[in-house]
Amino acid sequence: MPKTAFVTGITGQDGSYLADLLLSKDYHVFGMVRRSSTENFARIEHIRDRITLIQGDLLDASSLIKALERAKPDEIYNLAAQSFVPTSWDQPILTGEFTALGVTRLLEAMRAVCPDARFYQASSSEMFGKVREVPQTETTPFHPRSPYGVAKAYGHYITLNARESYDLFAVSGILFNHESPRRGLEFVTRKITRAAAAIKLGLQDSLELGNLDARRDWGFAGDYVDAMWRMLQQDAPQDYVIATGSTHSVRTLVNLAFASVDVNPEAHVRISAALIRPAEVDLLVGDPSRAKRELAWSPNTSFEQLVEMMVRADYDDLSGTHLGATARQTRTLKTIKSRRNALSAK
Ligand code: NAP
Ligand code: GDD
C-alpha cells in the first residue's frame, strides 16, 4: 500500500528535492502552497502532474486542518519557513509567526486530525549560533544569533514537547547548510556560483559580499532530504544532526567557484558593509555520527563537487545551454529593451 506524505514548503529548495525522493518511493505526495498572484512553481514544474497541491498557509490554522483532512497523511514534513537570516532582522515578528508559531499550528492540526501520522520539523544549525562546542552534536546547547535562529529554537522545542506531552511521533532534523542548483539566489553559495558564471560570460562585472571569514558546513540538499525521510522510518522518534563534518570559509567558497571558471576573484569581489550582519554565526561544523550509526546515512557529495555542480548549472542556465527560467526572463527583458530602443530611435 503506497504511503501518503504532506509537505509544507514544497515550492522551496528542500521541498522540491523531498518530493522527487518521495515520488521515487511511490508515495502519494500532497504539497501545501500559498496563494499568490503569480505562480511560484519553478522548482516543482517537472513533477506538477504527479503531486497534489493544496492551498494553505502556516499563518492560518484552519487552512492547515482542512489540508490535513484532505491529504490524510502518514507522514508530515514541515519545511515551510521564512528561511533567510537577514530578513529575520527586518521582519522579526513575521519570522516568529511563520518559523516558530507556524510549527505549533501544524502540530495542533495534526493532533486534531491525524495524531498517528509521523511529523518531521526542519530544525537548523542556526540554533547553535555562538557555538558552545566544536563540532556541534544533538546535545550541544543552543545560543541563536538572529530572530530566525530564535524562531527555529522555539520550533525545535515545541516539537520535542509535542513528543513528550502527547506521545506523537514528532522529530527534528538539525540540518546544517545545504545547497544545490535550486538554492535561492540570495543565499551566499548561489549568489557566488551565479556571479562566477555571469562574470565569466560577461553578463556581470562585480560581486558584493559581506563577511568572507564566516565558516559553514555545506552539504548537498539532495543528500539531506534522504536523511529527513530516514528519520520518519525509525522505530522510535529521535532528533538528529545532519552535516558533513567539514567546514569551509566563504572566502574558500569564492576562490573555488571562481577558479572553476578560470576567473580571478580579486578583480571582481568587493566587500559591502551593508551585508555584514548585526550578529554573526562565525563557525558551524556538525558531527553526524548519530545519523551515520542509527540512520545509516552519510553525505554522498563533497564540498568541491557541490560547488562545481552549482557553477556548472548556473553557467549552463545563463549561457542558454539549458535555458532556465531566470535566464529566459533576463533574455526577454533584454529583447523588450532593445525593441523599445529601436522604436524610440525611429
Ligand atoms: P526555502 O527555499 O526558502 O523554502 C521555504 C518554503 O517555505 C517555500 O516553499 C515557501 O513558500 C514556504 N513558506 C514560507 N512561508 C510560508 C507560510 N507562511 N505558509 C506556507 N508556506 C510558507 O527554504 P529551504 O532551503 O528549502 O529550507 C527548507 C526548511 O529547512 C526551512 O524551514 C528552513 O528554515 C530549514 N533549513 C534549511 C537549511 C538550508 O541550508 N537550506 C538548513 C537548516 C534548516 P513560497 O514559495 O510561497 O515562498
Ligand atoms: N546571504 C549572504 N549574502 N551571506 C553572506 C554574504 C552575502 O552577500 N556575504 C557573506 N555571507 C555570509 C553570511 O554572513 C553567513 O555567515 C554565511 O555567508 C552564510 O549565509 P547564507 O548563505 O545566507 O546562509 P545562513 O548560514 O545564514 O543560513 C542558511 O543556513 C541555515 C543553516 O545553518 C539558511 O538556509 C537557513 O535557513 C538555515 O537554517
Side-chain angles (χ1 to χ4, degrees):
M1 176 88 168
K3 283 191 190 169
T4 299
F6 178 76
V7 181
T8 72
I10 196 161
T11 55
Q13 170 188 261
D14 290 8
S16 67
Y17 280 105
L18 180 65
D20 289 343
L21 178 84
L22 294 172
L23 287 173
S24 76
K25 295 181 184 297
D26 289 331
Y27 275 63
H28 287 153
V29 178
F30 286 83
M32 190 178 84
V33 293
R34 296 192 277 181
R35 194 265 158 187
S36 155
S37 65
T38 15
E39 275 193 0
N40 177 22
F41 297 159
R43 294 188 181 102
I44 49 171
E45 209 50 70
H46 62 294
I47 48 171
R48 262 306 276 288
D49 57 346
R50 298 172 62 205
I51 57 179
T52 307
L53 299 181
I54 304 181
Q55 270 190 18
D57 196 303
L58 286 181
L59 296 182
D60 185 335
S62 68
S63 73
L64 303 177
I65 290 174
K66 279 182 249 171
L68 291 183
E69 281 172 346
R70 194 172 147 205
K72 299 186 179 51
D74 300 298
E75 296 172 9
I76 299 171
Y77 295 88
N78 183 34
L79 308 186
Q82 191 303 96
S83 75
F84 190 48
V85 172
T87 298
S88 76
W89 277 285
D90 294 335
Q91 300 181 18
I93 296 169
L94 193 74
T95 301
E97 286 287 350
F98 286 13
T99 307
L101 280 177
V103 187
T104 310
R105 290 189 194 97
L106 190 55
L107 281 165
E108 286 297 303
M110 170 178 159
R111 229 156 61 79
V113 178
C114 47
D116 293 331
R118 295 181 167 210
F119 182 94
Y120 173 85
Q121 166 59 16
S123 284
S124 165
S125 49
E126 273 287 311
M127 300 185 304
F128 296 123
K130 197 173 164 92
V131 299
R132 305 281 181 86
E133 63 180 346
V134 179
Q136 295 86 52
T137 71
E138 290 81 2
T139 55
T140 302
F142 299 153
H143 184 150
R145 295 274 280 170
S146 63
Y148 168 83
V150 173
K152 279 289 176 189
Y154 173 93
H156 184 85
Y157 281 125
I158 204 72
T159 303
L160 177 61
N161 185 254
R163 181 160 93 218
E164 293 178 349
S165 304
Y166 308 120
D167 208 20
L168 299 183
F169 194 113
V171 303
S172 293
I174 308 176
L175 270 55
F176 283 62
N177 299 50
H178 46 280
E179 320 291 317
S180 74
R182 299 186 200 167
R183 186 59 143 150
L185 292 168
E186 68 275 40
F187 296 92
V188 79
T189 50
R190 187 77 197 287
K191 185 173 173 183
I192 291 169
T193 61
R194 194 144 188 97
I199 291 168
K200 177 71 179 175
L201 288 162
L203 300 171
Q204 183 174 330
D205 185 51
S206 62
L207 167 65
E208 287 198 343
L209 290 173
N211 178 13
L212 297 187
D213 296 318
R215 298 179 71 87
R216 290 289 182 276
D217 180 331
W218 280 295
F220 172 49
D223 293 342
Y224 284 38
V225 296
D226 176 49
M228 298 175 187
W229 176 78
R230 284 171 191 252
M231 282 179 224
L232 295 198
Q233 314 313 311
Q234 296 304 295
D235 291 337
Q238 172 82 269
D239 302 332
Y240 292 92
V241 158
I242 302 299
T244 69
S246 301
T247 187
H248 304 273
S249 68
V250 174
R251 191 185 313 279
T252 303
L253 172 60
V254 169
N255 290 338
L256 200 59
F258 277 66
S260 75
V261 284
D262 202 19
V263 172
N264 176 9
E266 280 169 24
H268 301 278
V269 175
R270 326 238 174 287
I271 302 304
S272 163
L275 293 168
I276 305 287
R277 299 179 178 185
E280 178 63 285
V281 173
D282 295 317
L283 164 72
L284 288 177
V285 57
D287 175 358
S289 301
R290 180 188 283 177
K292 283 189 178 165
R293 210 172 43 245
E294 296 178 13
L295 302 178
W297 177 88
S298 38
N300 291 319
T301 316
S302 71
F303 176 63
E304 291 74 17
Q305 287 168 328
L306 174 67
V307 175
E308 168 75 27
M309 176 203 310
M310 291 177 69
V311 176
R312 185 184 296 269
D314 277 318
Y315 187 90
D316 288 350
D317 183 42
L318 288 170
S319 65
T321 316
H322 302 292
L323 207 56
T326 324
R328 270 201 303 274
Q329 278 165 10
T330 314
R331 283 182 178 213
T332 311
L333 281 176
K334 277 188 181 160
T335 314
I336 292 169
K337 264 189 195 159
S338 69
R339 283 197 190 133
R340 197 183 293 145
N341 289 344
L343 279 174
S344 57
K346 277 185 183 169

